[in-house]
Amino acid sequence: METYYNPEDLAKFGTIGEEAPQLAEKFFDYYGAVFEEGALTAREKSLIALAVAHAVQCPYCIDSYTNDCLNKGVSEEQMTEAVHVAAAIRGGATLVHGVQMKNIVKKLEL
């Protein structure tokens, strides 16, 4: 099935720096450092990444971090719960912006 997002493109991510190798190197060094064990385990960071991937709607990240979570022993139930957390935060952020709309309405009614 052909889709807008080609699953094979995920494997090509490393080529993104071909025209700007210094910037790509800095990004990939940072990216790697972020996912090293620290106050959070690599497993916890992978689960957070999966939730964020859903919030920002990145199909490549969802693919990558679903697999990474599975490889780190995260259950489907845990991943689903993390996705619901992301959805709740995203939904709340959308709703709270309604306050700005209400402020504009009140301002224009004056």
Side-chain angles (χ1 to χ4, degrees):
M1 180 170 99
E2 192 171 317
T3 65
Y4 184 76
Y5 291 101
N6 184 349
E8 287 105 31
D9 285 346
L10 179 57
K12 299 174 188 172
F13 185 41
T15 66
I16 201 67
E18 290 175 348
E19 285 74 29
Q22 300 85 0
L23 294 175
E25 181 180 354
K26 289 178 184 193
F27 172 78
F28 287 116
D29 286 347
Y30 170 74
Y31 195 90
V34 164
F35 284 93
E36 290 176 1
E37 294 270 342
L40 297 171
T41 66
R43 183 181 185 277
E44 292 167 331
K45 290 180 179 188
S46 186
L47 192 55
I48 292 167
L50 179 64
V52 171
H54 281 80
V56 300
Q57 301 173 326
C58 175
Y60 300 113
C61 301
I62 292 168
D63 183 353
S64 180
Y65 285 102
T66 298
N67 283 297
D68 197 52
C69 281
L70 289 171
N71 290 334
K72 288 181 168 64
V74 179
S75 71
E76 184 175 4
E77 181 181 15
Q78 292 169 319
M79 289 188 278
T80 301
E81 191 170 324
V83 169
H84 280 278
V85 170
I89 296 299
R90 181 98 186 229
T94 299
L95 288 172
V96 78
H97 278 83
V99 173
Q100 291 187 2
M101 176 265 311
K102 292 170 75 62
N103 291 339
I104 292 168
V105 168
K106 285 182 183 178
K107 181 180 176 183
L108 293 175
E109 286 178 344
L110 296 177

